[in-house]
Amino acid sequence: MKHPGRKSIGFQLVLAARLHRTRMATLLGEIGLFPGQEQALQILAQYRDGMSMGDLSRTLHVRPPTASKTIARLAAQGLVERDAKSADGRVVRVRLTEAGIDKLEKIDAATLQLEGEISDIFDSKEAKRLRKSLRRITRQLGDQLDPEQEAEALAEDEADDTD
């Protein structure tokens, strides 16, 4: 039996996003990570001196407790280290360890593998058209949300990320 939403752009978009997320979760699992953890490591790689937990949570667009949970798990694996030795002892800075830097290579390889799996089904013109269309959808939907709705949508997405 065919799904009634099969001709819906929204249905296909959600289905593709879910399958992409599931495939990426599989590839990340092979290198010992959960979805979302790779994003924290990639962001921290841009800040060699580390960044505050507050800045990290804002950059990841997640609530502070979610960022804290992610960093705790990454610290347990030795991929990041926390430092509360700032002038204000309440501010915790986080930075990558050497093991975290090494893990970035594996994250890049997993990302490239998945991108290749997707890109292989399109010629370059189709891929460019799809990227452009997805950006237009993102802008259109983003313009329809007020900041409070956007925060709620991010919180719902965050809830899906909990391990």
Side-chain angles (χ1 to χ4, degrees), residues 115-128:
E115 188 66 18
E117 291 170 11
I118 295 168
S119 295
D120 285 348
I121 60 175
F122 298 105
D123 64 34
S124 63
K125 191 173 184 177
E126 289 173 319
K128 183 176 181 178

Side-chain angles (χ1 to χ4, degrees), residues 62-77:
V62 298
R63 294 173 298 195
T66 301
S68 184
K69 183 178 176 181
T70 299
I71 293 303
R73 288 184 172 159
L74 293 171
Q77 294 181 58

Side-chain angles (χ1 to χ4, degrees), residues 44-95:
L44 289 171
Q46 298 173 38
Y47 299 89
R48 288 294 182 180
D49 294 332
M51 63 190 308
S52 72
M53 287 295 296
D55 288 342
L56 180 61
S57 68
R58 281 186 292 280
T59 304
L60 287 170
H61 301 285
V62 298
R63 294 173 298 195
T66 301
S68 184
K69 183 178 176 181
T70 299
I71 293 303
R73 288 184 172 159
L74 293 171
Q77 294 181 58
L79 302 176
V80 300
E81 58 187 8
R82 292 175 275 199
D83 180 14
K85 297 176 190 162
S86 63
D88 181 349
R90 297 173 294 171
V91 176
V92 175
R93 293 190 67 77
V94 185
R95 72 181 58 79

Side-chain angles (χ1 to χ4, degrees), residues 88-157:
D88 181 349
R90 297 173 294 171
V91 176
V92 175
R93 293 190 67 77
V94 185
R95 72 181 58 79
L96 288 178
T97 62
E98 287 300 318
I101 293 168
D102 293 342
K103 186 70 80 169
L104 287 169
E105 291 178 27
K106 293 177 181 177
I107 292 169
D108 289 345
T111 302
L112 286 172
Q113 179 180 339
L114 183 52
E115 188 66 18
E117 291 170 11
I118 295 168
S119 295
D120 285 348
I121 60 175
F122 298 105
D123 64 34
S124 63
K125 191 173 184 177
E126 289 173 319
K128 183 176 181 178
R129 193 175 316 128
L130 178 58
R131 282 190 304 274
K132 192 173 185 178
S133 295
L134 291 171
R135 283 193 297 270
R136 286 176 49 206
I137 291 170
T138 300
R139 271 193 308 275
Q140 175 66 22
L141 295 177
D143 288 348
Q144 301 302 315
L145 296 178
D146 64 37
E148 194 169 304
Q149 287 176 310
E150 187 176 3
E152 287 175 20
L154 290 170
E156 287 174 17
D157 189 46

